[in-house]
Amino acid sequence: MNFDFKEEQLQFADALRRWVGRGYDFEKRRAIVRSDSGIDDRAWATLAELGMTALPVAEEHGGFGGSAVDMFVVMQELGRGLVVEPYLATMLGAEFLRLGGGHGELLAQVAGGELKLACALGERQSRHELNDIATRAEAHDAGWRLEGEKKAVLHGAAAGVLIVSARTGGGQRDAQGISLFALPADTPGITVTGYRTLDGMRAADVRLEGVLAPQASLIGKAGEGAAILEAAADYGAGLLCAEALGAMQALFDATLDYLKTRQQFGVPIGKFQGLQHRMADMYMHLEQARSMALLAAVRLAEGADGERRRAVSAAKYRVGQAARFIGQQAIQLHGGMGVTDELPASHYFKRLSMIELTLGDSDHHLARFASLPGFAPEAA
């Protein structure tokens, strides 16, 4: 299998890296995080101009039809730059629309950078089990009536359309009976309460009270949304793994530079063998995580459900372990400066910590991997 990136993919990565270095440096990011909205419209417009919003959208809707491997390249650079714009949330929402079919007008708006999406999936009791849904959708006239509440919706306050999971049948944790809806954020009955998260991103709680949704808002078929929900969540987890790789690489590079410049006893501390060993351990974690994340991207691009589940859970677990190790080591090697707001190291560590908790933490994906067929020999 050839793991070399194509020329077009490298060009995308280079364009993003140059933009981050030129117009989205660390101080610019800090200013955006402190702003009222937590995002920058000019930065979003630049992402659209560079073709990033159109990348995963099908050509028939004005996109480039990019694969998960193409997105892997982009997300690495966004992670390296600690970009806080709602790109991940929007691309995950676009994946829901793609898998469900239809909604071409929304996808065309996403491709053009005119529309931001957010995915309202998690609830107070659900933690990492996205099938645990208490929000209800009942048939009403020619559409649906939704009642419930969603928690920690990434960039929920910035979205023009919300992708909402609700139960139209079955028990609270059943796979059957899950339906998905694309709802304009200004629909009467929807209340969005935004807030800033630990890593400088924005999230929101979304309350749905008597929300009337037309039949056309349904994504896929009523009661059959579980497969779309799982596939899209795996896609999002794969993007998070790629973003984490970019952040870990940047944090590793920053730590290495610090060891070369910080002096103790008249020499750079990087000359101390004990610290060299720790950097070597960080590098091994980084490269192992890179291999697993790239394999997950390949499996997502291939589309086989069984291999996709296995590779994504393995990658999310390995990346989570690497992120924790590299983040903790980097903070310690930076000394007291490592935890200050003025140094990028603390911001990378916070973002990596949040990635670990998004769309399933390491324990969740380890348990999921172990539950898949073929992990353990069948009992006699």
Side-chain angles (χ1 to χ4, degrees):
M1 183 178 292
N2 182 10
F3 285 103
D4 292 331
F5 292 115
K6 299 176 183 177
E7 183 64 28
E8 295 86 351
Q9 294 168 335
L10 295 176
Q11 289 175 353
F12 261 116
D14 182 62
L16 260 180
R17 192 175 305 177
R18 283 188 282 110
W19 168 67
V20 169
R22 182 176 63 247
Y24 205 97
D25 60 18
F26 179 62
E27 291 305 321
K28 173 68 173 177
R29 177 190 182 273
R30 291 180 70 196
I32 295 172
V33 168
R34 291 194 298 264
S35 68
D36 292 338
S37 64
I39 61 175
D40 181 37
D41 290 338
R42 287 174 297 180
W44 182 259
T46 300
L47 288 174
E49 290 172 7
L50 292 172
M52 303 306 161
T53 55
L55 180 57
V57 178
E59 294 182 9
E60 62 188 284
H61 303 308
F64 300 138
S67 69
V69 178
D70 298 320
M71 292 296 293
F72 177 93
V73 176
V74 170
M75 290 303 298
Q76 269 198 122
E77 296 306 320
L78 296 181
R80 190 192 306 268
L82 281 178
V83 175
V84 296
E85 271 42 70
Y87 186 77
L88 171 68
T90 300
M91 296 304 103
L92 177 57
E95 181 68 4
F96 274 98
L97 298 179
R98 184 190 73 82
L99 292 171
H103 298 283
E105 291 184 3
L106 294 182
L107 286 170
Q109 292 178 51
V110 169
E114 304 160 14
L115 177 65
K116 303 179 185 72
L117 305 175
C119 301
L121 309 175
E123 300 185 3
R124 186 184 302 274
Q125 80 291 342
S126 62
R127 290 186 62 80
H128 303 303
E129 298 294 341
L130 297 182
N131 281 2
D132 189 345
I133 301 171
T135 299
R136 305 290 302 186
E138 298 179 354
H140 179 82
D141 294 337
W144 304 87
R145 181 186 178 93
L146 284 78
E147 299 277 352
E149 187 175 14
K150 299 293 184 175
K151 292 291 187 180
V153 179
L154 185 62
H155 287 296
V161 171
L162 299 169
I163 309 300
V164 179
S165 61
R167 188 161 291 287
T168 53
Q172 182 171 312
R173 298 186 178 182
D174 290 347
Q176 296 299 317
I178 295 174
S179 297
L180 301 165
F181 300 88
L183 304 176
D186 59 358
T187 301
I190 294 181
T191 303
V192 179
T193 305
Y195 46 85
R196 189 167 71 187
T197 55
L198 173 71
D199 55 350
M201 294 282 190
R202 297 299 172 103
D205 295 337
V206 178
R207 180 177 292 276
L208 303 105
E209 297 178 301
V211 176
L212 299 181
Q215 190 68 29
S217 66
L218 194 64
I219 299 174
K221 296 181 180 179
E224 299 180 12
I228 296 176
L229 179 60
E230 183 186 44
D234 281 349
Y235 180 82
L239 298 187
L240 284 169
C241 288
E243 182 187 352
L245 278 179
M248 285 189 288
Q249 183 68 65
L251 187 53
F252 177 87
D253 293 341
T255 305
L256 183 60
D257 289 342
Y258 183 78
L259 295 187
K260 291 178 178 179
T261 56
R262 175 73 167 89
Q263 298 226 347
Q264 188 89 26
F265 306 113
V267 296
I269 61 176
K271 289 187 174 293
F272 301 152
Q273 191 176 57
L275 302 189
Q276 293 174 3
H277 290 169
R278 293 170 75 169
M279 288 299 297
D281 289 340
M282 291 169 65
Y283 182 77
M284 287 190 291
H285 275 273
L286 176 60
E287 291 306 308
Q288 289 173 1
R290 191 189 312 279
S291 297
M292 290 306 303
L294 186 53
L295 176 61
V298 171
R299 295 297 185 231
L300 284 164
E302 291 173 348
D305 289 351
E307 291 302 315
R308 182 204 75 218
R309 295 186 186 99
R310 188 184 308 278
V312 167
S313 282
K316 192 66 164 62
Y317 171 77
R318 188 65 192 89
V319 168
Q321 295 296 302
R324 176 177 297 181
F325 182 84
I326 291 172
Q328 290 176 345
Q329 293 296 316
I331 293 295
Q332 286 195 355
L333 290 172
H334 275 88
M337 287 292 293
V339 296
T340 62
D341 187 68
E342 292 77 11
L343 205 69
S346 66
H347 296 262
Y348 282 112
F349 187 41
K350 290 174 183 177
R351 180 60 189 146
L352 289 170
S353 298
M354 290 299 291
I355 288 175
E356 155 69 3
L357 298 173
T358 305
L359 294 178
D361 62 9
S362 294
D363 290 340
H364 171 82
H365 279 282
L366 180 62
R368 184 196 190 207
F369 184 90
S371 70
L372 293 173
F375 174 75
E378 303 241 349

